[in-house]
Every structure is written in C-alpha cells, then in structure tokens.
Amino acid sequence: MSWGTELWDQFDNLEKHTQWGIDILEKYIKFVKERTEIELSYAKQLRNLAKKYQPKKNSKEEEEYRYTACKAFLSTLNEMNDYAGQHEVISENMTSNITVELARYVQELKQERKSYFHDGRKAQQHIEICWKQLESSKRRFERDCKEADRAQQYFEKMDADINVTKADVEKARQQAQVRHQMAEDSKADYSSILQKFNHEQHEYYHTHIPNIFQKIQEMEERRIVRIGDSMKTYAEVDRQVIPIIGKCLDEIVKAAESIDQKNDSQLVIEAYKSGFEPPGDIEFEDYTQPMKRTVSDNSLSNSRGEGKPELKFGGKSKGKLWPFIKKNKSPKQQKEPLSHRFNEFMTSKPKIHCFRSLKRGGATPEDFSNLPPEQRRKKLQQKVDELNKEIQKEMDQRDAITKMKDVYLKNPQMGDPASLDHKLTEVSQNIEKLRLESQKFEAWLAEVEGRLPARSEQARRQSGMFDAQNPATVNNCAQDRESSPDGSYTEEQSQEGEGKVLATDFDDEFDEEEPLPAIGTCKALYTFEGQNEGTISVVEGETLYVIEEDKGDGWTRIRRNEDEEGYVPTSYVEVYLDKNAKGAKTYI
C-alpha cells in the first residue's frame, strides 16, 4: 500500500502525522535520558553507601575486620562498588548508543521532512497557478463569445433596418467579424491552456504527489524501524552487564560462604586470652587446732615458711596479691588466718609508693606490663615486628647509600663520595638504636613466653642500658616488680622469714578499718568474673558504688555492700561520679 495512491488528497494530515512521529521519537529520547540520570544517581548512592560503611583507617573498626564475618561484609562493600560501576556503564552506553544517536537522527529527520513537504507545497502552488490560468482563459473565452454574439445580433438588426445607411450596416458587419475573430482566438487559447492544465494535473496527482508521499512514507517507516532498534539497544545495554552483575552477586555469596564461625571464635580467644591459670582449690583450714593453722596455697607466707625462695615466671607465679587494695570481704570466701593477713600487710606496705609512682605518669608502661600475659605477649610481638621492619627499611637505605657512594668513587664527576658519609653514619646509628630497642622488647617477650626467669638479675642487666632512655617509665622499684594475674604488681620474696611476724590484735584492727566513702555510682556493662585476689565479680546491668576512681591503671574500685568491695576493669563499667562527693578526684 502506497501513500501516494491511497492518500493523494491527505497532504495536511500526513504533515500532522509525520510531526507527531518526530514528537514520539523526542519523547523516547527524553525517557532514555532520564533513565541514564537515574542510573548515575543510583550508582553514586551505592558508592556513597559502600564508602560510608568502609572501615576507617587506623581505627578500632579496622581491627574488627580480622573476623571472617567482617571480611565478608567488606567484600560485599567492594562488590557493591563494582555493582555501581555496572550501572554507570549502563548510563554511559545508553547515552552514547541511544540518546546521542537518536538526537542526531531527529535533526536529520526534521530536515528531510521539511524538504519533502516543501516540494509538495511547491507542486501544489504550481497546479494552483495552472488552474487560475485555465479559469482566466475560460472567462475570457466566455466573454469574447458573448461580445461576438451581441455584435452579430446588432449587425443583423442594422441590416434589416431600411432607414440605416449602408455605411452603418458595413461598420456593424465589420464589428461583428472582429468580435467573432476574438472569440475564436479566445477559444483556441482556452483549449490550449485546458490541455496544458489537464497534463499538469495528471502529473501532479499521478507522478509528483505519489513520489513525494512515497518518500515521506519511507522516511516515516525508517523512523519506526529506528525507534524499534533503539528499544532493542536499550534492552541489550542492560543484558550486557547482567553477567558482570551476576559475578558481583556470586562473589558476595562466595564471601558469605567463607564465613567461619570457628575461626572467629578462635580469634576472640587470641584477642582476649589473658594467659592466667585458673585458681586452684582452696585447702581446708582447720580452726580446731589453734596452734597449727594451715595456710592456703594462695598465701604469701607459704613459700617463705619453707625457707626456699623459688624462681617465679611472669604471669604464672602464685601468691601474688594486690598491694594497694582493701581485701574483698565477700561472704562466699573463707576468712584468712592472721599470719596471711599480716604477711600481706607487711609485703604490700613498701609497694604502694612504687605502684602509685608508676601510675601517676598516666601513660602505658613501655613493656606493657599493665596487660595480662597473653595480651602483653601479643603487644610485645607486634612491637618487635614493627622494629624489625624499621631495621630492614634502614638497612635497605644504608645499602642504597653504599651503592651510591661506590658509584661516586668510580665516577667522581657524578658526585662527592664524602658528602654521603654523614648520611651513612646517621643511618648506621639509627640501625644500632633500633637493634638495641628490638633486643629490649625481645628480652621482655622472652620473659613473658617463659624462656627467661621473670625479671631476673640477668634480664635487668640486659635491659639496664635502656633504663636511662626512658626515665619516665623506669624507676628503682620497677626493677623488682612483676605482673600479677590481675594486672597489679608485687615484689619478689628476697629474704627468708620475712613474713614470720606475729601480731595478736592486727586481724581485728584490719577488719575494723574505716570504709572509704562512695564518690559515685556505676553500671556494669559486661559480666566480670573476679577470680583473682582483690577483684570482685559483677553481673551485666548491676548498679554498684564507686569508692575509688581509675588512677590510670585500668581498674576502678567499687562496693556492692558493706562486706563486698574490690576492683573491676574500668572498661567493664560506666561510671557516674558525684562531683560533690569527698575524694572525687580525676587522675591524669
């Protein structure tokens, strides 16, 4: 079916229809453009979302990503970045393959349509001019025929009238002949123009208009095909990224399947294991024999009574007590004998000054002795690894300088070898300092791991060269301290019989000591099992009284009631100090 034959008289409607087709194409272009904007916006939001939940560098969050579940989450965030990238690809491909191409095609289509309808209007104008010429010649022929007829009638009238002169009759006859000739000429002209018009009209309706309309039809069909191809491209652009998006989703599933709950549980053990041995059984103390009181294995007088001071290893020695706290008077614990209490007092008295002097610094001890053994071992190992990396870095720098010096020696024009001596000496000194520092931490690490006696005379002599470099953290009493299971410090027993002192009234005097006033309250954030001497067990959500604030050692002294008090880790409780309370001080 051809528009030229079927729609020969629908020029105006075809003009409207083709304009509507261009409007539809522009509407589709606008739709695709908005889709690309949505894809870009979605990709940007996905990237911002992934960035928002990325772990911050040098923060606690970065340490949490050691766990497999957190690693899987991090992998999901990374895959979301790739996922967002595919939406950016969709936007880019739709813009280049659809929006830009169709916009260019629309401009070409408008120009083509304009030229076709211009030709159509030109043909219309030509046929209208021919029609007007035909009408003009027709009217002229009609007028001349009427004039000739009137002239003939006038001649016949004059010729029949006997009163008219012969000259008048001849004049009328000549006038009639002229009019008749004019009518014949008009007839011939009209006939010629009519034939010409019929020919032009035939050409117009059977040649010109069909050709123009056929071109318009082909143009419109190309537009329809083009918009169909664009829709296929629209779907194909999406289909092209589906495999990559599928890979992203597969990687997320793979990361989820890599989660290992057993491995995470082991990491928790490694992160929080203290390395302490669980407390042993408490021996029965027979009070029916006043003169033969047995002392628990946990008392300090036990080892002294034997007269054989044993070597103790850091973190595993028994008989270590907090020298600066009041004994926890829990009803669940057996009341300790007088000799144990007196020995505790005698051994703890000289240590209060030493430990407080360490805490007033406010900084973590260089050897991490404030940490439990296992955590201390990890920190020391980490420090040793860091120092070894720095040593290797300095050695590489020294080798590079040495090579450069050799090049200068072989090629003096490139530089002065003596100019590198100062830098080489400086790097060598740095290496020596780092090695000494590494040896110091390795000695402490060996002490924690049990390869050396805990703070023996030999270890002290090895680390003595470093004491002068760190006067803020090393003092006279620090040479004789060691870690207790609960993070405090006690002194080694150096003399026999030091605790063999009897006092008949000391036990009662100790029990009647005036309790410290409460300086605030606290809420237990976690459950803490206070199994070591001087600590107290708390349950999550429990509210207690604060009687001594954390003085920089990581422990807070609390009280449950008049008979139960002790120390808990500061991180396990949320403290609410009463600023008006007596003794409420902040230690910095």
Side-chain angles (χ1 to χ4, degrees), residues 557-569:
R557 188 174 180 182
I558 63 173
R559 177 188 296 141
R560 180 177 286 110
N561 51 47
E562 293 182 359
D563 296 324
E564 290 185 73
E565 64 180 49
Y567 284 79
V568 295

Side-chain angles (χ1 to χ4, degrees), residues 284-295 337:
F284 177 75
E285 299 179 4
D286 191 359
Y287 287 91
T288 59
Q289 301 178 11
M291 300 303 296
K292 297 180 180 181
R293 291 186 178 180
T294 59
V295 182

Side-chain angles (χ1 to χ4, degrees), residues 122-341:
K122 189 175 180 180
Q124 278 185 336
Q125 291 174 359
H126 178 69
I127 199 66
E128 287 175 359
I129 291 172
C130 291
W131 172 255
K132 289 179 181 179
Q133 289 177 352
L134 178 63
E135 287 292 321
S136 176
S137 64
K138 180 182 178 181
R139 286 193 299 269
R140 186 169 60 253
F141 172 57
E142 181 182 7
R143 184 178 65 251
D144 290 345
C145 287
K146 289 179 180 180
E147 291 292 334
D149 186 48
R150 282 196 295 270
Q152 183 66 30
Q153 291 177 3
Y154 179 75
F155 165 70
E156 292 175 354
K157 182 180 178 181
M158 293 291 290
D159 187 45
D161 191 355
I162 59 174
N163 297 322
V164 177
T165 62
K166 193 174 184 177
D168 291 336
V169 173
E170 185 64 23
K171 184 178 180 181
R173 186 180 63 79
Q174 291 179 358
Q175 185 67 28
Q177 288 178 352
V178 170
R179 291 295 178 182
H180 182 72
Q181 185 63 40
M182 290 177 63
E184 288 296 330
D185 294 341
S186 296
K187 180 181 179 180
D189 185 54
Y190 170 65
S191 176
S192 174
I193 292 176
L194 179 61
Q195 289 179 1
K196 181 181 178 182
F197 174 79
N198 288 334
H199 176 74
E200 294 291 340
Q201 182 175 255
H202 185 274
E203 290 292 324
Y204 175 78
Y205 286 113
H206 294 86
T207 304
H208 298 310
I209 289 298
N211 289 339
I212 293 173
F213 280 14
Q214 184 64 31
K215 292 178 180 178
I216 294 174
Q217 181 181 356
E218 292 173 356
M219 177 194 72
E220 186 67 10
E221 289 175 353
R222 287 198 306 272
R223 179 193 65 80
I224 295 172
V225 172
R226 189 62 177 267
I227 196 171
D229 292 341
S230 298
M231 290 179 180
K232 291 180 182 178
T233 305
Y234 179 87
E236 191 63 28
V237 167
D238 264 340
R239 185 178 286 112
Q240 287 175 354
V241 301
I242 287 177
I244 303 177
I245 291 178
K247 289 182 180 179
C248 294
L249 300 178
D250 291 342
E251 290 297 325
I252 293 175
V253 173
K254 184 178 178 181
E257 292 174 349
S258 68
I259 295 177
D260 186 354
Q261 64 274 17
K262 298 297 183 183
N263 182 70
D264 286 1
S265 298
Q266 183 61 33
L267 289 176
V268 174
I269 294 175
E270 294 176 1
Y272 301 110
K273 181 180 179 182
S274 66
F276 296 137
E277 294 292 338
D281 295 339
I282 300 176
E283 293 185 2
F284 177 75
E285 299 179 4
D286 191 359
Y287 287 91
T288 59
Q289 301 178 11
M291 300 303 296
K292 297 180 180 181
R293 291 186 178 180
T294 59
V295 182
S296 171
D297 285 343
N298 291 331
S299 66
L300 291 176
S301 62
N302 186 34
S303 60
R304 291 171 182 164
E306 295 175 359
K308 295 180 180 180
E310 55 181 293
L311 286 174
K312 294 181 168 51
F313 295 88
K316 294 187 178 180
S317 60
K318 296 184 178 180
K320 305 251 184 264
L321 301 178
W322 286 43
F324 56 95
I325 64 172
K326 181 177 179 181
K327 178 173 166 36
N328 183 12
K329 301 180 181 178
S330 174
K332 299 179 182 180
Q333 298 179 356
Q334 294 287 341
K335 187 174 182 181
E336 297 182 0
L338 172 64
S339 60
H340 184 181
R341 300 285 290 277

